[in-house]
């Protein structure tokens, strides 16, 4: 635990967040910035661990922009990455700095270590007076009618502390104590294949500062110029050995000859000079049977886990967190707390199921030892190398990045989505609010810059009425978009999705009543 913070910790927080990975830290930030008192506990005594995630998607950066951390993340990452695809004897170079996404401020992939993501988020929490309590483990969680209770144990000692709170957010990974204590099921299976991770110094003719990808018969090999103990991070797939460490956790260290064989099979022509560390990691694909049990919620890897294919794990966990954090904070003021809290599972669990399906397909193509798949990777893919440059142009990469970034996610059937009879082109209630150039109160700007602050953002079209009764407080921000014709009213949720939409043809009083009712539903009217 951070020693200086013990005497200042709230004994009656609104929310206890268990786990200080990206999902837990973002849950805490989102909840704090919407008015909740938060405690964050983490059983690991030290902040550093080798990063397992290395890519941040555009939608993830959008989602954390209102929390004031997007620029800091970009400062630590590579926002103009280049990749070399090694296909047999051919090498194809691809620039990922601009993938022709025009409705976002982040039209690129960002190479960024998970450790750097966590460092930025921890600094943001510290700036708000919230310290991560390290070496503190949640050993039991109990749900109650009036409150939840978390039993905490410090540094494995006999002394325990029982904390009462409104809600518990279990962000404690695949082997989640919170999930087990809440008796939430964990369905799925394990992969035959495993991942090898290592930080290496390499000798050989390898383009520096570039992401190298090799598709071979035995699986894929990635070399990121983002090593933490050495210049290069190796991520490779291979047939699993079985047994070993718990799923998702670093297992047996590999010898240098083993690592060399992986690189030799990939045909990269490099030699291992030194390995800083290495580990084999067992993989599984599972989904929690529920994302909530009363006042207890599971988030990120505690709710769903899958292979590292398509770089979905950390990004999906962060998107879970921005969805849940504000709801936990605003729930006490909601006119229908059950609907508000229930929307987390109804919105995010279907997304997790689809992400699991996506990663399952991609991982099968990347890593399966099935003879047919190995033949396609090792023999057919190199034959297609001459046409690959045509496929990595920005206009063709855009839909791929949008898919991986989860720009397709929408919550139109959510109890929080009110369309008010609005017709015509979107965005509809439940959709992500796209970015675009607008004029707001006479100033030319981008729409996501307008909404880049915590809270609900009400967007009034040029001719929409603004009755005096429309609230404007720390939770509700009202903007006049003079470049948008008509009487439409939109309310954008803290996670960037449209929650309320009215065409403006029901009369000023009707629109106001409908909007006021929606603000009451989400707990933002007070």
């Amino acid at each position: 635990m951070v020693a200086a913070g013990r005497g200042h910790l709230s004994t009656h927080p609104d929310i206890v967040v268990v786990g200080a990975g990206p999902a837990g830290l973002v849950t805490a930030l989102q909840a704090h910035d919407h008015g909740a008192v938060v405690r964050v506990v983490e059983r690991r005594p030290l902040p550093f661990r080798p990063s397992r995630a290395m890519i941040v998607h555009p939608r993830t950066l959008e989602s954390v922009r209102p929390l004031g951390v997007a620029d800091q993340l970009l400062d630590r990452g590579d926002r103009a990455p280049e990749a070399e695809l090694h296909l047999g004897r051919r090498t194809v170079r691809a620039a990922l700095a601009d993938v022709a996404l025009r409705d976002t401020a982040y039209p690129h992939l960002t190479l960024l270590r998970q450790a750097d993501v966590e460092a930025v988020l921890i600094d943001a929490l510290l700036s708000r007076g919230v310290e991560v309590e390290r070496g503190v483990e949640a050993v039991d969680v109990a749900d109650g009618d009036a409150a939840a209770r978390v039993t905490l144990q410090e540094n494995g000692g006999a002394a325990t502390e029982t904390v009462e709170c409104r809600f518990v957010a279990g962000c404690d990974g695949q082997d989640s104590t919170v999930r087990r204590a809440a008796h939430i099921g964990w369905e799925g299976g394990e992969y035959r294949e495993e991942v090898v991770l290592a930080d290496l110094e390499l000798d050989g003719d390898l383009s520096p500062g570039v992401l190298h990808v090799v598709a071979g018969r035995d699986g894929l090999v990635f070399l990121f110029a983002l090593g933490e103990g050495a210049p290069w991070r190796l991520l490779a797939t291979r047939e699993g050995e079985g047994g070993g460490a718990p799923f998702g956790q670093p297992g047996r260290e590999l010898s240098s000859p083993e690592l060399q064989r992986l690189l030799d099979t990939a045909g990269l022509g490099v030699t291992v000079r030194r390995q800083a560390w290495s580990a084999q990691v067992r993989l599984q694909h599972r989904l929690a049977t529920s994302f909530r049990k009363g006042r207890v919620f599971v988030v990120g890897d505690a709710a769903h886990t899958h292979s590292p294919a398509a770089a979905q794990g950390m990004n999906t966990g962060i998107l879970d967190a921005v969805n849940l954090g504000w709801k936990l904070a605003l729930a006490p003021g909601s006119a229908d707390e059950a609907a508000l809290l229930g929307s987390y599972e109804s919105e995010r669990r279907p997304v997790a199921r689809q992400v699991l399906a996506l990663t399952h397909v991609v991982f099968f193509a990347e890593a399966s030892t099935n003879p047919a798949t190995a033949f396609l990777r090792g023999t057919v893919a190199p034959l297609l190398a001459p046409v690959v440059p045509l496929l990595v142009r920005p206009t063709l990469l855009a839909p791929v990045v949008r898919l991986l970034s989860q720009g397709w996610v929408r919550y139109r059937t959510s109890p929080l989505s009110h369309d008010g009879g609005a017709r015509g082109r979107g965005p509809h209630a439940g959709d992500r609010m796209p970015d675009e150039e607008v004029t707001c109160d006479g100033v030319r700007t981008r729409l996501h810059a307008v909404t880049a602050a915590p809270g609900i953002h009400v967007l009034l079209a040029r001719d929409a009425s603004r009755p005096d009764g429309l609230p404007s407080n720390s939770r509700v921000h009202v903007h006049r978009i003079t470049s948008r014709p008509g009487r439409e009213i939109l309310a954008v949720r803290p996670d960037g999705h449209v929650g309320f939409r009215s065409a403006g043809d029901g009369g000023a009083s009707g629109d106001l009543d409908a909007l006021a009712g929606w603000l009451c539903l989400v707990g933002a009217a007070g």
Side-chain angles (χ1 to χ4, degrees), residues 64-233:
V64 298
R65 184 178 181 180
L67 302 175
V69 297
D71 288 344
Q72 291 91 327
L73 292 173
L74 289 172
D75 288 343
R76 288 176 175 247
D78 180 0
R79 68 181 80 183
E82 292 187 329
E84 286 190 358
L85 311 179
H86 300 266
L87 303 170
R89 297 176 180 270
R90 295 178 180 268
T91 298
V92 179
R93 200 170 181 101
L96 304 175
D98 186 348
V99 293
L101 292 174
R102 297 297 172 236
D103 63 348
T104 178
Y106 312 107
H108 52 78
L109 294 178
T110 302
L111 297 187
L112 181 63
R113 305 177 189 93
Q114 179 178 333
D116 288 319
V117 173
E118 292 178 2
V120 168
L121 298 173
I122 288 169
D123 285 347
L125 283 169
L126 282 172
S127 73
R128 292 153 168 84
V130 179
E131 299 180 78
V132 174
E133 303 173 52
R134 296 201 173 275
V136 177
E137 183 176 4
V139 294
D140 192 29
V141 176
D143 178 41
D145 293 335
R149 292 186 304 279
V150 185
T151 303
L152 303 176
Q153 185 178 76
E154 186 174 357
N155 296 321
T160 61
E161 174 191 5
T162 300
V163 180
E164 287 198 349
C165 55
R166 286 199 181 104
F167 306 111
V168 177
C171 311
D172 50 341
Q174 300 180 34
D175 189 28
S176 171
T177 298
V178 173
R179 188 186 62 241
R180 288 197 304 272
H183 304 292
I184 295 174
W186 192 226
E187 296 181 341
E190 62 182 273
Y191 283 108
R192 290 177 52 190
E193 297 77 20
E194 67 183 13
V195 160
V196 171
L197 298 175
D199 279 352
L200 305 171
E201 286 186 12
L202 300 173
D203 289 327
D205 186 18
L206 198 65
S207 299
V210 174
L211 168 61
H212 294 269
V213 184
V214 183
R217 283 184 169 273
D218 295 331
L220 255 65
V221 172
F222 294 83
L223 280 174
F224 296 86
L226 291 172
E228 290 161 310
W232 292 100
R233 163 62 54 82

Side-chain angles (χ1 to χ4, degrees), residues 479-498:
H479 314 278
R480 174 74 64 181
I481 309 300
T482 52
S483 57
R484 189 178 293 246
R487 299 177 178 274
E488 183 181 63
I489 299 174
L490 296 175
V492 183
R493 304 175 359 170
D495 57 2
H497 285 261
V498 176

